[in-house]
Every structure is written in C-alpha cells, then in structure tokens.
Amino acid sequence: MNILNEAFNLKEYMVNQRNYFHSHPELGLQEFNTCLHIEEELNKLGIKNSRVAGTNVIAEIDSGRPGRTLFIRADIDALPIQEKNEVSYKSQNEGIMHACGHDGHTAYLLGAAKLILQHIDDISGKVILAFQAAEEIGKGARDIIAAGILDNVDRTFGIHFASGMKVGTYGIKTGPDMASCDRFKIVIHGKAAHITTPQNGSDSLFIGALITTQLQTVVSRLISPVEGGLIGVGRFSSGTTYNIIPSDAELEGTIRAFSSESRNKLANAVRSIATNVASEYGATVDVNIEDICDPCTNPSETASEVVNSAVKLVPQENVITNLDKRFGSDNFADYSRKAPGTYVHVGSSDSAATSVAHHNEYFDLSEDSYSYAAALAVQYALDFLK
C-alpha cells in the first residue's frame, strides 16, 4: 500500500478534526482551545509536545536513531469573518471563521503524525511538528525561532491549501513564490483651519492624498517590471466635518516585494515621499514600517526534493512547477532564516463550493485535500530521513 492510500484510510479522522477546528475558530494569539485540542490528540498518540509563547504547540517524533531533522509547519489561526456557509460544521464563534484553510492544515498535520508513527522504523532522525499561532497577523513564527526550535533543523516544510487548484494537484515552485510583507503607518501632523482660509493651516487630508497618489508611482520607477513589487494604501483617515481643514491624518498600507533589496528600496521610498510631501506643505510626519515577514523563496535543491516525493503519489502532470509568483505572503518564509525549506500549494477545489477565494465568508475545503496534504508531508519525511 502506498502512502497516499494510507492517508486516505485516515480521511475520516482528518475530516473530523478539521470540522472540529472549523466549528471552533480562534483568532491569532487567542488559540487556547485549539491548542488544548491539538495537545489532546498528540497525547493520545504518545507524541511529546510543549508550548511556545502561549499558543504555539511544538511536537517531536524521534526515531531513536541519529540522522537529520525535518521541521513541518501548520498554521492554526482563524480570521475575523462572519461565516455564511450553512454546513453542519459552521463556525460557532460569532464573527470568527476559518476562511483560509488553517483548520485543514492543522487536521492534515495530525493525520501526518499518525502516519509517521506507523513508519517510524523507516526513518532516522527526527520530525518536528509545529502548530503555529497567528500567521494571519504575522506572528508565531519568530517566537518559535526565538525559542531555539529550529537551531538543529536541516529542512523546513510547509503546505497551504489552494482553492484555485484542483484536488490531487501539487504546486511546487522553485525560486520566488510569495512576497515579503511590511505594514506601514503614516501619521501626518498638520494645522487646523477654516476650510475657507487654507493659507492659515496645513491641510493633512490634502497632504495624505498627495502621498497616496505618489506612492502609486514608485514601484514602476524603482523595481524591475520582471521582478515586480507593490505598495498599497488600505486605510486613510482624516477630518471631523465638512468645513474644517483637519490637523491630522493617518494612512496605513502594505509593501510587498520578492527580494530584500527591493523591499528596502520601497520602504525607503515610503519614508522619503511621506516626509518630503509633508514638509513642502508645512506639516510633519511619523512613519512606522513593521516587518511582518520575509519573501517566500524555494531553493532549487529543496524544491526538487519535494517534487521527487510528489511524483511518487500523483502523476507527473499533477505536480505543477511553473506557478506564477504571487503578492500574498506567509511567515513560513521566516523559517528560512534558520534552515532551507519548501512551501507547497495543495489543491483543495473539487466543486463550486470549494473554489471560493480565500478570506471569503463562503470559503470551504474539499475533504480529499487533507489526504493529499498528509501524504506529501509523510512521503517527503520518509524520503528525506531514510
């Protein structure tokens, strides 16, 4: 029996686990019940586990034989979305929903843990399972790194379900896959005045509009069109009523890039434009840029390893290696600061219901996708630690 068949034998278990997590979603850094349930399942299996920074669960499967160490990550947090699906496993927590598949990630990794234990005699070394908190808000990963969990890790591995891909397909891209993420906040300090006497004030709203407009021109002048980059403003707040020039304004947005060099260029441009535009019109600014996560890049060596494992499970044509890079981000990328690894997209669509975009109130997953995810994680573990 091959690993994919074994994973499908655990489908019912993984479906039940996923439906539990889906019914009981928790936001980032608040995943206390989620962690308790994960720990309960790990304890049933006799797998040693511990907590890191409150709501990260770290488990270790040790073969008892010297060898390499593989680190596998599943993120566990939900989103502040009110679910609109009418399903038996609908979210029971008002205004919170697993709308990105992290419930499925958690379930597949528990299934993978079972399978790895069944094949413990076939590996040498260790597998570390990380149930990571707060990916949606850019937290969790660096707490795990700071705790030393990756100090002796040889490879990292992460999976994300993809509603844009059919069940039974794997997307494994070499090179830049997903962008870095930085969050910026610009606070403009102007001077209030009556709307009819603009010469007596410093119009923070007008200045904010100019900054927003100029930021839209930066990427095309600083970053190669082949590489790509993005600066986007998602929030602009200013003013109290129609006839007052506001003294203050706030802008919030994001910077996305595929290299450290481009990331730094764009961050410097945000600071420079905000400062210079404000100064020209008699205002000052505070610019804060928060480092959320690194670019997600798969080295050719590790991507090739995972491709070789994937083709043992599905036909070659179902292993897609020419994926377009995307401006979405995932702080799985931060683990590459300690050890090289591969980020894999696993198809989770088999109907209209499971083809809905991520972060949507109708998002759902194909039940078969958990088996494909678990099978790849286990096959790679067996191949890397043989």
Side-chain angles (χ1 to χ4, degrees):
M1 183 178 294
N2 65 31
I3 296 300
L4 186 58
N5 289 336
E6 293 181 33
F8 268 97
N9 286 340
L10 286 177
K11 176 181 172 180
E12 182 179 0
Y13 171 78
M14 290 186 284
V15 168
N16 289 338
Q17 294 303 316
R18 184 266 175 164
N19 290 351
Y20 175 84
F21 293 123
H22 192 87
S23 299
H24 303 85
E26 295 174 298
L27 297 177
L29 304 180
Q30 301 173 35
E31 308 98 336
F32 298 105
N33 175 70
T34 301
C35 288
L36 288 172
H37 188 86
I38 292 167
E39 290 165 339
E40 180 181 350
E41 292 302 311
L42 293 171
N43 290 337
K44 288 178 185 176
L45 296 171
I47 297 175
K48 183 175 70 173
N49 60 87
S50 60
R51 290 279 187 104
V52 169
T55 54
N56 299 281
V57 178
I58 306 298
E60 182 180 292
I61 301 175
D62 190 340
S63 70
R65 291 174 289 277
R68 297 186 288 187
T69 299
L70 173 65
F71 173 94
I72 307 177
R73 192 250 6 212
D75 36 11
I76 66 175
D77 56 320
L79 288 158
I81 293 175
Q82 180 63 45
E83 181 164 17
K84 292 187 178 179
N85 287 317
E86 294 302 328
V87 290
S88 61
Y89 47 87
K90 183 176 181 178
S91 170
Q92 297 176 20
N93 295 342
E94 190 74 16
I96 305 176
M97 178 190 175
H98 273 293
C100 199
H102 296 186
D103 48 349
H105 300 171
T106 311
Y108 103 73
L109 192 53
L110 287 173
K114 279 177 168 270
L115 286 179
I116 292 169
L117 285 178
Q118 292 172 18
H119 288 271
I120 194 68
D121 291 338
D122 300 325
I123 65 172
S124 297
K126 299 178 183 179
V127 180
I128 296 174
L129 311 176
F131 297 86
Q132 179 204 310
E135 186 279 328
E136 295 290 359
I137 57 174
K139 307 294 182 182
R142 292 179 188 174
D143 290 327
I144 292 172
I145 293 170
I149 304 301
L150 282 94
D151 285 356
N152 297 302
V153 164
D154 297 287
R155 288 287 189 275
T156 62
F157 178 84
I159 275 175
H160 204 296
F161 289 121
S163 64
M165 292 171 52
K166 291 182 180 180
V167 169
T169 59
Y170 298 121
I172 306 167
K173 178 177 172 55
T174 297
D177 186 8
M178 300 182 77
S180 61
C181 179
D182 294 296
R183 177 180 180 177
F184 65 80
K185 183 176 182 179
I186 301 170
V187 181
I188 304 163
H189 305 289
K191 181 181 179 182
H194 195 279
I195 202 78
T196 62
T197 58
Q199 73 278 9
N200 294 331
S202 178
D203 191 341
S204 63
L205 191 153
F206 170 70
I207 293 165
L210 287 179
I211 291 171
T212 300
T213 301
Q214 288 199 27
L215 290 179
Q216 307 310 311
T217 69
V218 170
V219 173
S220 65
R221 299 303 92 191
L222 293 182
I223 306 300
S224 162
V226 176
E227 178 184 347
L230 183 147
I231 297 177
V233 176
R235 188 179 74 86
F236 185 168
S237 175
S238 183
T240 56
T241 190
Y242 79 102
N243 63 350
I244 301 174
I245 289 175
S247 60
D248 296 302
E250 288 188 6
L251 306 176
E252 282 190 289
T254 186
I255 301 167
R256 305 293 174 104
F258 293 100
S259 69
S260 297
E261 181 183 6
S262 294
R263 189 180 186 187
N264 291 331
K265 278 186 181 180
L266 295 180
N268 290 336
V270 169
R271 294 187 185 95
S272 177
I273 287 172
T275 301
N276 293 338
V277 171
S279 177
E280 184 176 355
Y281 291 95
T284 61
V285 292
D286 297 321
V287 181
N288 179 65
I289 299 179
E290 180 185 1
D291 168 7
I292 300 294
C293 69
D294 292 345
C296 189
T297 300
N298 292 332
S300 59
E301 180 183 2
T302 69
S304 295
E305 291 170 354
V306 179
V307 167
N308 290 337
S309 295
V311 296
K312 295 178 180 179
L313 304 172
V314 298
Q316 179 77 55
E317 60 267 25
N318 286 5
V319 181
I320 305 165
T321 58
N322 62 343
L323 292 173
D324 292 333
K325 61 188 179 185
R326 60 199 73 192
F327 283 108
S329 60
D330 190 314
N331 66 2
F332 172 82
D334 289 344
Y335 296 122
S336 64
R337 297 180 177 190
K338 300 293 291 186
T342 309
Y343 185 85
V344 180
H345 305 273
V346 174
S348 61
S349 172
D350 61 5
S351 66
T354 56
S355 299
V356 175
H358 294 249
H359 291 219
N360 182 284
E361 60 267 31
Y362 289 104
F363 181 82
D364 208 346
L365 297 166
S366 163
E367 293 182 348
D368 284 351
S369 62
Y370 321 141
S371 296
Y372 282 100
L376 183 57
V378 174
Q379 186 66 60
Y380 182 53
L382 292 176
D383 292 340
F384 184 70
L385 300 176
K386 63 186 176 182

